[in-house]
Amino acid sequence: DATLSPTTRLGNHTQILQKTIKVSGTLDTVNKAGRKSEKAYQLAKASQEIKRDLETVMLANQGRDAGTSNSTPRKMASLLSWLTTNTSSGSGGADPTTIGVSTRSDGTQRTFTEALLKSVVADVFTSGGMPKVLMVGASGKQKVSSFAGIGATRFNVTGAQPSTIIGAADIYVSDFGNLAVVPNRFMRTRDALVLDPEYAAVAYLRPFQTNELAKAGDSDKTQILVECTLEVKNEAAHGIVADLDMSL
């Protein structure tokens, strides 16, 4: 009889992200153009900044770190620290040695080709995943739009109607399903991520909250804070084409 191994529970550390705003009593009281409350406006801006910071952290090449109480902050493991099954690296590149703990070793960059993408998509499917998203940086999005595929459809516009130039690919139709090509300005330009969103999530220990800090003279100080981590439910449901040169 075959011996079945028990499921191994993996973990991640939570990371605290915060911003502090300071608004004077006068500024929050006088009439302002475009908004009623300066404090509410600044809190909304800080919240958006934290969300961008969080996205940047999750797509960085960062391993988890328990930190110390005095000097080193606690850090979550980013997505790149989890991916070891369906990967394609350049010469000298290597997957994390300990999943969720160590980081990727960058290798020599190579041209992003459709063949590299197709290989990783096939690996994800073989591993049981159903890839739905291809996430790339700005130059990567333009590179994907230049892929020839198995053919091209051309449209001729006649008459007095304005012409439309179609120069972008928003869907990549693979042998194993459609992938939405999503540009992301916060990720590394050398990476192309093949993702199944069903198997990744943000896990919150402390959801977004505001804390009133000690008053500084005639100014109110407010902290907005969140403590969360990246939850990778199955790393084999995702893939990465790493060490890419996105030059057209």
Side-chain angles (χ1 to χ4, degrees):
D1 294 337
T3 300
L4 300 180
S5 300
T7 301
T8 301
R9 184 182 180 89
L10 300 177
N12 203 350
H13 293 314
T14 58
Q15 184 168 334
I16 298 172
L17 297 98
Q18 69 88 32
K19 300 283 183 182
T20 299
I21 68 164
K22 181 179 177 181
V23 179
S24 70
T26 299
L27 183 59
D28 204 38
T29 303
V30 299
N31 291 331
K32 293 165 289 294
R35 51 187 176 272
K36 182 178 180 181
S37 169
E38 183 67 22
K39 180 178 179 180
Y41 173 72
Q42 293 298 336
L43 284 174
K45 282 182 58 179
S47 177
Q48 292 298 320
E49 289 177 8
I50 290 178
K51 291 176 181 178
R52 290 193 291 269
D53 291 345
L54 178 59
E55 189 169 357
T56 301
V57 169
M58 290 185 170
L59 296 173
N61 191 19
Q62 173 177 293
R64 73 171 185 251
D65 188 341
T68 62
S69 57
N70 296 322
S71 57
T72 305
R74 187 169 58 252
K75 295 180 179 180
M76 71 178 78
S78 71
L79 181 60
L80 300 191
S81 180
W82 287 89
L83 302 180
T84 60
T85 300
N86 311 306
T87 66
S88 172
S89 303
S91 176
D95 298 332
T97 54
T98 305
I99 188 170
V101 177
S102 51
T103 58
R104 293 194 61 81
S105 296
D106 290 333
T108 303
Q109 290 179 269
R110 65 267 169 82
T111 301
F112 186 22
T113 64
E114 190 176 1
L116 290 174
L117 174 61
K118 291 174 71 172
S119 176
V120 170
V121 171
D123 288 343
V124 173
F125 179 81
T126 301
S127 298
M130 295 296 293
K132 300 177 181 66
V133 173
L134 171 61
M135 187 174 291
V136 289
S139 57
K141 176 65 166 65
Q142 292 179 314
K143 187 68 175 179
V144 173
S145 294
S146 72
F147 287 171
I150 60 174
T153 302
R154 300 179 183 275
F155 299 92
N156 294 320
V157 180
T158 60
Q161 296 294 328
S163 298
T164 300
I165 298 175
I166 301 175
D170 296 321
I171 300 292
Y172 180 82
V173 181
S174 77
D175 291 314
F176 309 103
N178 295 350
L179 278 73
V181 184
V182 178
N184 189 307
R185 60 171 57 93
F186 303 111
M187 67 182 290
R188 305 197 313 169
T189 57
R190 63 186 295 133
D191 302 322
L193 298 170
V194 178
L195 306 174
D196 185 344
E198 183 179 350
Y199 292 97
V202 181
Y204 291 93
L205 180 62
R206 289 186 289 168
F208 277 87
Q209 57 188 266
T210 56
N211 301 308
E212 297 299 330
L213 304 181
K215 192 176 179 67
D218 189 34
S219 297
D220 291 324
K221 293 174 67 176
T222 306
Q223 177 194 59
I224 182 167
L225 176 147
V226 63
E227 184 172 3
C228 59
T229 192
L230 172 64
E231 179 184 3
V232 179
K233 302 177 182 180
N234 187 339
E235 68 87 17
H238 314 289
I240 181 173
V241 189
D243 305 319
L244 299 175
D245 180 354
M246 299 295 190
S247 301
L248 295 177

